[in-house]
Amino acid sequence: MIMANFVSNLFRSNKKLTVDEFIVKKTIVSFFFLFVFFGACIWSWKWIRHQPVDPGIRGGVQRPLRNVLNTNEAIFSKILSNHHLAKTYPASEVVKNVRPNGNIGMGNDFDPANWKMYVIKKSGDTLTLTLDDLKKLPKTDIIFNFKCIEGWNQVTRWAGVRFSDFIKAYGLNEEASMKYLGLMTPDEAYYVGIDMASALHPQTILCYELNGQPLPIKEGFPLRLIIPVKYGIKHLKRIGTMYFANNRPPDYWAERGYDYYSGL
Amino acid sequence: MKKIVKKHPLAIRWFHWINFPVLGVMIWSGLLIYWANDVYKVGFGDKTLVKFFPQSFYDIFHIPFRLAEGMAYHFVFMWLFFFNGILYVLYTIFSGEWRYLLPNKRSWREAWLVLLHDLHIRKTKPPQDKYNAAQRIAYSAIIIMGIGSILTGLGIYKPIQLGWLIAIFGGYKMTRIIHFALTIGYVLFFLIHIIQVIFAGWNNFRAMVTGFEVVKIKEEPLPLEPSPMPIAVEVSATPISVETSDAEDGRKQNDEDSVEVPESQ
């Protein structure tokens, strides 16, 4: 009876409560809200984890997360500028052992001697290029801190044709005005998509030399991409096909849940 | 006789409780990321004292091979961590709560006394405002750590576009180490925090949920002069009176606990 009285009193306005009743009421109400909050957290968590993971360009990770990653890209791609260059280092800081990482798209049924790069133009025509064609263009050398998405980094030295020089030399201005650059290995097992602003960044090169020597097979001989403003996953080795698009080209690691942009 | 003393404003309670799960997700997703290149250890010479982390630790928490997932969560929840932290700091500045939070001249010496007291070496209780000296230092440090996590995190996230930030922290590698070390700091803070909350007891814990503490006072008229504890002057904003059919005087004599709480305003 006393208990029932006490409980019914709690429903009165605070002004009419005793101190004890007020303490009990406020405690119950506050803890109720705390538990509701924790419940909401758990519910939101489960909701996110049960959202569809669609494979493909936007996929590899639950949709709400992918949407935020794309929003992050919209925000942080604004600070990408050709004036923000990756820090370069003196030759003395270059590591001795360059770490090759990943061999997807690097199958053995590959004849380096007959390699050609196919550039699919906007018109649909294909431009076929040899390594010698590329070596005729001005050479750009860079020593920078290569960053792997796994978390390690190495100061390494690369050389080749600056991508923007290549675009100019072959009159691909119309292609370069599209939104994305797509690259594929000859066996099409590995593929990346890169926003054009990053591709045209002055430190992005079509690379054929490591430490002044032709690229080792493991590092993507005869030609690979070096794009310091991206994590290593975008530095496609053994370029087979280059194409341009206004929609996101398929991207191997984005399909496996990584950020499509992966810009640094 | 009990008195209700306001302690934590509603906003601060929310910032506190929101930060708890958000920081939890940040640390968990950070571990998923760290696993992909788990090179940190503490030791001297060839001797390793602590390796971050032993395989058993990874196995218990299902850490391995979840880098992409970790990065996705990390770069989503970073916004919640950032906005909650920013709002907390702004609130603390503009509400004047910083007065109870920032260490003052006496705090450094008093914090030592708090430590001795908590370790049962010294009997006399050090002065306890809303926060004692050790709490002031710890809670202010955690804000600086939070700012450090956000800045180092931003630097690691965009090391080229924000190259100057990386430079301030001593390069890419060092920035990553600081970011990691700060996280270890949070975990240590959390452990000590939990222990202290348990020792401090229910009244203190409840205050972080309800906002008030219950103080027992002697059956004497409340002091007219301002209390030495500025926070304690303000009692419940809602005037609480007792509704009873008894005459006011009679009730006061009969019921010790249910006493009218005087208004402060």
Side-chain angles (χ1 to χ4, degrees):
Chain A
M1 191 61 199
I2 296 166
M3 195 63 201
N5 234 336
F6 187 79
V7 171
S8 75
N9 277 352
L10 298 183
F11 289 98
R12 295 181 194 186
S13 88
N14 288 346
K15 283 183 185 174
K16 296 177 177 174
L17 296 178
T18 63
V19 178
D20 272 334
E21 284 166 348
F22 178 82
I23 291 168
V24 171
K25 180 177 177 179
K26 199 84 204 298
T27 304
I28 290 172
V29 169
S30 298
F31 273 89
F32 172 76
F33 279 114
L34 183 70
F35 285 120
V36 166
F37 169 69
F38 282 140
C41 288
I42 293 166
W43 183 85
S44 314
W45 183 255
K46 289 195 167 164
W47 179 80
I48 291 177
R49 297 197 70 80
H50 284 98
Q51 286 300 294
V53 177
D54 43 355
I57 295 169
R58 290 171 59 82
V61 70
Q62 286 84 356
R63 265 188 213 142
L65 302 179
R66 178 63 75 191
N67 291 340
V68 178
L69 294 183
N70 291 339
T71 307
N72 290 351
E73 170 177 346
I75 295 166
F76 286 99
S77 63
K78 288 204 178 75
I79 62 170
L80 175 80
S81 139
N82 284 352
H83 302 293
H84 292 165
L85 297 175
K87 189 185 168 193
T88 52
Y89 295 79
S92 58
E93 291 195 36
V94 172
V95 296
K96 287 211 175 70
N97 297 312
V98 180
R99 179 170 169 179
N101 208 45
N103 53 7
I104 304 146
M106 307 277 285
N108 289 330
D109 50 344
F110 172 67
D111 178 12
N114 288 321
W115 174 87
K116 287 181 180 63
M117 177 169 71
Y118 301 100
V119 180
I120 300 167
K121 296 171 73 169
K122 202 180 175 186
S123 61
D125 297 344
T126 302
L127 194 66
T128 308
L129 296 166
T130 63
L131 192 54
D132 286 334
D133 295 332
L134 292 168
K135 282 186 173 172
K136 282 176 200 150
L137 301 176
K139 188 162 144 185
T140 300
D141 217 299
I142 183 170
I143 300 173
F144 79 105
N145 193 0
F146 184 102
K147 296 175 190 72
C148 178
I149 202 161
E150 290 172 0
W152 51 268
N153 54 280
Q154 281 193 318
V155 175
T156 42
R157 178 181 183 180
W158 312 84
V161 185
R162 183 179 281 147
F163 182 78
S164 57
D165 288 348
F166 165 77
I167 291 291
K168 265 183 235 149
Y170 282 90
L172 299 169
N173 300 317
E174 225 180 294
E175 283 77 6
S177 65
M178 295 170 85
K179 283 186 184 157
Y180 292 95
L181 164 72
L183 295 174
M184 282 190 292
T185 53
D187 63 2
E188 302 187 0
Y190 195 74
Y191 37 89
V192 298
I194 288 160
D195 54 286
M196 198 57 75
S198 297
L200 294 172
H201 186 271
Q203 289 174 312
T204 302
I205 57 179
L206 299 170
C207 163
Y208 49 76
E209 274 183 11
L210 170 64
N211 290 329
Q213 299 295 318
L215 280 178
I217 279 284
K218 274 189 173 176
E219 289 295 348
F221 180 86
L223 191 72
R224 71 173 298 171
L225 185 70
I226 285 292
I227 179 161
V229 292
K230 301 281 185 194
Y231 279 121
I233 50 171
K234 296 282 189 183
H235 298 224
L236 182 134
K237 292 185 272 197
R238 195 187 285 177
I239 300 173
T241 309
M242 177 188 292
Y243 61 103
F244 305 86
N246 280 322
N247 293 319
R248 285 179 167 185
D251 188 277
Y252 185 88
W253 287 112
E255 288 171 4
R256 282 150 185 82
Y258 288 87
D259 178 27
Y260 191 94
Y261 186 64
S262 289
L264 298 173
Chain B
M1 178 168 166
K2 288 177 188 171
K3 195 174 75 160
I4 289 166
V5 181
K6 279 201 157 190
K7 193 174 182 190
H8 303 295
L10 182 66
I12 285 188
R13 281 177 274 150
W14 273 107
F15 295 135
H16 172 269
W17 288 112
I18 288 172
N19 193 55
F20 174 49
V22 169
L23 187 57
V25 172
M26 288 306 279
I27 292 174
W28 165 76
S29 56
L31 280 172
L32 299 186
I33 296 169
Y34 171 74
W35 170 87
N37 186 47
D38 59 338
V39 291
Y40 301 147
K41 50 191 158 201
V42 176
F44 48 89
D46 293 335
K47 183 128 176 68
T48 299
L49 290 175
V50 191
K51 184 194 184 302
F52 299 110
F53 293 90
Q55 189 57 40
S56 54
F57 174 85
Y58 290 135
D59 292 340
I60 290 167
F61 294 102
H62 304 287
I63 302 295
F65 300 105
R66 294 172 78 178
L67 171 61
E69 190 185 358
M71 294 182 87
Y73 279 97
H74 215 64
F75 300 147
V76 170
F77 280 80
M78 66 178 186
W79 291 111
L80 296 180
F81 181 73
F82 170 70
F83 283 116
N84 191 54
I86 278 283
L87 289 175
Y88 169 62
V89 170
L90 289 178
Y91 179 85
T92 305
I93 292 169
F94 288 109
S95 67
E97 283 288 314
W98 60 269
R99 287 188 191 89
Y100 312 117
L101 186 76
L102 291 185
N104 53 32
K105 275 179 274 174
R106 288 170 294 128
S107 297
W108 304 101
R109 201 182 62 82
E110 280 177 20
W112 180 243
L113 302 181
V114 174
L115 182 70
L116 293 178
H117 176 76
D118 287 354
L119 296 174
H120 300 279
I121 296 168
R122 200 169 173 278
K123 277 230 173 95
T124 28
K125 248 190 152 183
Q128 173 83 39
D129 257 7
K130 177 179 175 182
Y131 299 131
N132 67 38
Q135 283 176 303
R136 281 171 182 260
I137 291 169
Y139 300 160
S140 298
I142 210 83
I143 294 176
I144 293 168
M145 286 165 69
I147 294 168
S149 284
I150 285 166
L151 292 179
T152 52
L154 257 180
I156 299 163
Y157 190 45
K158 300 292 159 192
I160 293 176
Q161 310 312 320
L162 304 175
W164 54 273
L165 204 48
I166 289 284
I168 289 172
F169 291 110
Y172 184 67
K173 265 189 183 169
M174 190 44 91
T175 311
R176 292 181 70 103
I177 291 172
I178 296 169
H179 197 72
F180 180 85
L182 286 171
T183 309
I184 298 295
Y186 294 135
V187 175
L188 295 178
F189 176 91
F190 178 76
L191 293 176
I192 296 170
H193 189 57
I194 294 299
I195 292 168
Q196 294 281 35
V197 167
I198 291 169
F199 278 121
W202 169 246
N203 200 17
N204 172 71
F205 176 73
R206 179 178 53 193
M208 203 61 217
V209 180
T210 63
F212 63 78
E213 254 179 0
V214 178
V215 180
K216 281 200 174 130
I217 46 174
K218 282 178 194 153
E219 185 98 17
E220 295 209 358
L222 280 158
L224 289 172
E225 74 274 15
S227 151
M229 289 191 285
I231 193 71
V233 178
E234 194 188 330
V235 292
S236 172
T238 326
I240 301 163
S241 62
V242 181
E243 198 206 38
T244 159
S245 52
D246 297 346
E248 280 266 292
D249 291 344
R251 181 189 56 73
K252 269 186 181 166
Q253 282 154 11
N254 295 336
D255 189 352
E256 268 201 16
D257 279 339
S258 56
V259 166
E260 189 173 330
V261 174
E263 296 172 48
S264 61
Q265 279 93 354

